[in-house]
């Protein structure tokens, strides 16, 4: 998936988009008007038109980052301090 699409998903989640169908509609418009306006990209190109599951996964990551801003889910390391406690260290 193109990094611009991932950033657009994050932006739209912040704006309140919560349904995959709505996100897909916004992404289609963004690809055709903003990201690649002069290119004729086929709808089968998953780089610019990802599957529903891919969109849902990136929406979930963005939503978790909104809910828990103190934890960076993709770059977090947990170290065991003692038997019952873990220390969250951002990398």
């Amino acid at each position: 998936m193109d990094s611009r699409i991932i950033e657009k998903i994050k932006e739209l989640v912040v704006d309140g988009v919560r349904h995959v169908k709505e996100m897909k509609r916004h992404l289609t418009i963004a690809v055709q008007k903003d990201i690649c306006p002069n290119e004729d990209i086929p709808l089968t190109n998953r780089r610019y038109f990802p599957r529903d599951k891919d969109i849902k996964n990136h929406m979930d990551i963005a939503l978790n980052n909104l809910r828990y801003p103190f934890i960076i889910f993709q770059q977090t390391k947990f170290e065991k301090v003692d038997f019952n406690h873990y220390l969250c260290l951002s990398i």
Side-chain angles (χ1 to χ4, degrees):
M1 189 181 308
D2 192 81
S3 61
R4 295 173 290 183
I5 299 295
I6 295 171
E7 289 302 316
K8 188 68 174 178
I9 290 172
K10 290 178 188 176
E11 176 185 319
L12 291 169
V13 166
V14 169
D15 289 342
V17 177
R18 297 292 185 263
H19 299 285
V20 175
K21 188 173 181 180
E22 183 182 1
M23 180 66 73
K24 201 169 197 175
R25 183 177 56 83
H26 284 293
L27 291 177
T28 302
I29 293 169
V31 167
Q32 293 171 348
K33 291 189 178 185
D34 300 331
I35 296 173
C36 302
N38 298 327
E39 297 179 33
D40 186 27
I41 301 172
L43 295 175
T44 56
N45 187 341
R46 286 186 57 198
R47 180 176 181 160
Y48 295 104
F49 301 102
R51 292 185 179 167
D52 290 353
K53 185 168 179 108
D54 299 328
I55 293 171
K56 177 70 174 150
N57 288 339
H58 284 283
M59 286 175 67
D60 288 343
I61 291 170
L63 195 57
N64 282 333
N65 286 336
L66 280 178
R67 288 182 182 156
Y68 310 105
F70 53 89
I71 297 176
I72 303 171
F73 285 94
Q74 295 178 354
Q75 299 177 349
T76 302
K77 180 179 178 182
F78 291 94
E79 290 187 9
K80 194 165 187 173
V81 178
D82 62 19
F83 186 69
N84 292 324
H85 298 89
Y86 287 88
L87 178 63
C88 177
L89 302 171
S90 293
I91 295 176

